[in-house]
Amino acid sequence: MSTVQPPSPGSGDDREMSRVRIIKAAAEIAAEQGFEGTTISKVTKRSGLPASSVYWFFRDKDHLLAEVVRHSFEQWIAAEPRWERDPRDERSLAEGLRAILSRSTRGLPGAPDFLRIGHMLLLESREAEARQYFLATRDAVASSIAAWFTSYFSTELRARRPELAMDLARIVIASTDGLFLAHQIDEAGDPDDFITIIVAIVEQAVAG
């Protein structure tokens, strides 16, 4: 039996504009009211588009919020410094880490939707699609950071402490999570002080 498709919301650029409008509306509502408070009816009201347009792009609320997280993450990661070390880069680990963190922490006050919504979903027990996507992105970022750290390690250190790079990656992510939350409650201090502390922790861990 064939499934009846809702009418198309347009074509080409118009269709993409409608899709982004829906995603932005859902992101705003989720940030204000959480997963439970986000409904298709509220999204249609805020976006100004009918439910048929929402269901043209997204099969249900769970799929929509997963796309909110994905869309926000892709925008955020495109503007972030890459955790990739140029072989010609002669800076020390501390200098390289400070340079990356100085750039990456700038975007935290803007509260990317994927961070805001992702953290809310992590605190819920539901196995939402958006939660799984958020966890997958964190794993991917952690792997990139760990590889960056490993590029500074000697062969002896890699063999003696094989888990060190991933441990340091988790410390960086957990620390930036804390800074992000501090920004949300207006308690963030000087980011340079934050970076100095993280660099000191990493240097001590590597030297230990």
Side-chain angles (χ1 to χ4, degrees):
M1 181 181 295
S2 62
T3 301
V4 177
Q5 288 281 355
S8 170
S11 59
D13 292 341
D14 290 340
R15 192 154 52 218
E16 181 58 20
M17 288 175 62
S18 295
R19 180 176 175 277
V20 172
R21 276 174 63 184
I22 293 167
I23 287 174
K24 288 182 176 180
E28 291 172 2
I29 296 168
E32 297 165 4
Q33 303 177 39
F35 184 92
E36 291 295 339
T38 304
T39 64
I40 297 299
S41 62
K42 290 177 183 177
V43 172
T44 59
K45 183 176 181 180
R46 185 162 303 194
S47 68
L49 293 168
S52 60
S53 291
V54 176
Y55 286 115
W56 174 267
F57 297 108
F58 312 103
R59 60 180 177 273
D60 52 27
K61 180 179 77 172
D62 194 16
H63 181 213
L64 170 56
L65 287 178
E67 284 299 296
V68 168
V69 173
R70 185 194 63 78
H71 180 79
S72 174
F73 176 76
E74 289 183 351
Q75 289 187 316
W76 175 79
I77 202 68
E80 285 293 289
R82 293 187 177 278
W83 289 89
E84 296 176 355
R85 186 184 177 195
D86 188 328
R88 298 167 296 179
D89 188 350
E90 298 181 353
R91 291 178 297 184
S92 67
L93 184 154
E95 292 169 335
L97 180 60
R98 182 178 293 278
I100 291 180
L101 291 179
S102 294
R103 290 181 55 197
S104 64
T105 55
R106 292 176 187 170
L108 292 177
D113 292 325
F114 88 94
L115 279 176
R116 187 190 300 113
I117 296 171
H119 281 106
M120 286 193 298
L121 290 170
L122 287 183
L123 298 176
E124 298 184 6
S125 58
R126 72 178 71 251
E127 290 300 313
E129 185 178 345
R131 185 178 189 273
Q132 294 305 311
Y133 182 84
F134 183 65
L135 288 171
T137 63
R138 289 172 70 84
D139 287 344
V141 171
S143 294
S144 295
I145 298 174
W148 183 88
F149 278 122
T150 299
S151 71
Y152 282 94
F153 294 172
S154 66
T155 302
E156 185 274 334
L157 180 59
R158 295 180 194 181
R160 181 166 54 88
R161 303 177 66 185
E163 300 299 320
L164 178 60
M166 184 56 73
D167 288 343
L168 294 178
R170 293 191 179 108
I171 288 173
V172 169
I173 292 175
S175 300
T176 51
D177 280 345
L179 183 61
F180 164 75
L181 293 173
H183 278 299
Q184 305 315 297
I185 55 178
D186 297 323
E187 291 187 0
D190 187 337
D192 287 338
D193 291 340
F194 162 83
I195 292 169
T196 296
I197 292 171
I198 298 305
V199 171
I201 290 172
V202 168
E203 286 187 305
Q204 183 63 37
V206 172

